[in-house]
Amino acid sequence: MIYFTADLHFYHENIINHTNRPFSTVEQMNHTLIENWNHTVCADDDVYILGDVTMKGAEYATKALAQLKGRKYLIKGNHDKFAQNEQFDKNIFEWIKDYYELSYKNTRFILFHYPIEEWNGYFRGTVHLHGHQHNHADYNLNNLQNGMRKFDVGVDANYMRPVCIDDIIAFFSTIPQ
């Protein structure tokens, strides 16, 4: 299976208040994010992280990512400076990129940390997946109601867990091609 997520912000205390996350401590947040991930993702699944794993550096990134199941791919966000650090083991990821286009079951997906107004295939049924904004679930519903194939895969919009590619396809299935 293929999953997407973004904006985990492991070890970032201020994100709890900034995004209204339902946690009292950063330890509780980290534990819940890891538990939710590992209850959702299997070892042989692919997970595309669309940025902002942590702001705390290579040691913290390694510590959090090593606990997560699946083959991981990183689309860099504005807080992923750890990925350039020589101390970070880049082998945790299958690859690290700024942008990626993925095709699955006759649907193309544009993967980018930042939301964009128009993307390759915008008028041809292509879905843009992003993070960065820390939206809540109503953002994705509003996009659906407006016929826009843009989906925030961040944990704040998806009940603190990765979202499955098949669920995203089903979500947009009511929009005419």
Side-chain angles (χ1 to χ4, degrees):
M1 188 48 60
I2 300 172
Y3 292 92
F4 305 96
T5 194
D7 304 312
L8 296 152
H9 284 264
F10 285 115
Y11 303 98
H12 184 188
E13 293 174 17
N14 290 338
I15 203 70
I16 294 169
N17 291 330
H18 177 68
T19 62
N20 232 2
R21 289 187 179 178
F23 307 111
S24 301
T25 65
V26 73
E27 293 80 16
Q28 181 188 29
M29 178 184 75
N30 290 346
H31 176 76
T32 300
L33 290 171
I34 292 166
E35 286 290 310
N36 287 352
W37 178 302
N38 288 334
H39 284 7
T40 304
V41 175
C42 294
D44 60 344
D45 291 337
D46 291 321
V47 185
Y48 293 86
I49 303 171
L50 276 59
D52 290 2
V53 174
T54 185
M55 298 169 62
K56 293 289 189 172
E59 180 181 338
Y60 288 95
T62 301
K63 184 177 177 182
L65 290 164
Q67 297 178 65
L68 303 174
K69 292 180 185 175
R71 289 182 298 271
K72 295 172 272 305
Y73 305 80
L74 178 63
I75 307 295
K76 290 187 292 186
N78 52 308
H79 295 303
D80 294 318
K81 308 281 188 278
F82 70 87
Q84 283 90 282
N85 188 313
E86 289 180 14
Q87 295 175 339
F88 177 68
D89 180 6
K90 291 176 181 54
N91 292 321
I92 287 177
F93 292 110
E94 300 295 313
W95 50 248
I96 299 171
K97 299 180 185 228
D98 293 316
Y99 171 96
Y100 187 66
E101 295 189 16
L102 172 73
S103 291
Y104 175 81
K105 291 186 178 178
N106 299 317
T107 301
R108 187 183 326 161
F109 295 86
I110 304 300
L111 282 56
F112 192 49
H113 176 66
Y114 305 97
I116 49 182
E117 286 297 313
E118 287 192 20
W119 49 90
N120 187 17
Y122 176 81
F123 293 108
R124 287 181 236 108
T126 299
V127 177
H128 169 41
L129 305 179
H130 69 86
H132 187 63
Q133 293 180 313
H134 298 274
N135 295 300
H136 291 189
D138 62 329
Y139 169 86
N140 291 330
L141 288 171
N142 288 338
N143 284 340
L144 175 67
Q145 291 168 350
N146 292 322
M148 184 174 291
R149 289 180 176 84
K150 185 192 300 192
F151 193 93
D152 186 340
V153 297
V155 294
D156 299 293
N158 296 285
Y159 309 101
M160 302 295 152
R161 65 181 63 245
V163 61
C164 173
I165 195 168
D166 288 330
D167 290 345
I168 294 171
I169 290 172
F171 182 81
F172 286 115
S173 66
T174 60
I175 299 176
Q177 288 285 345

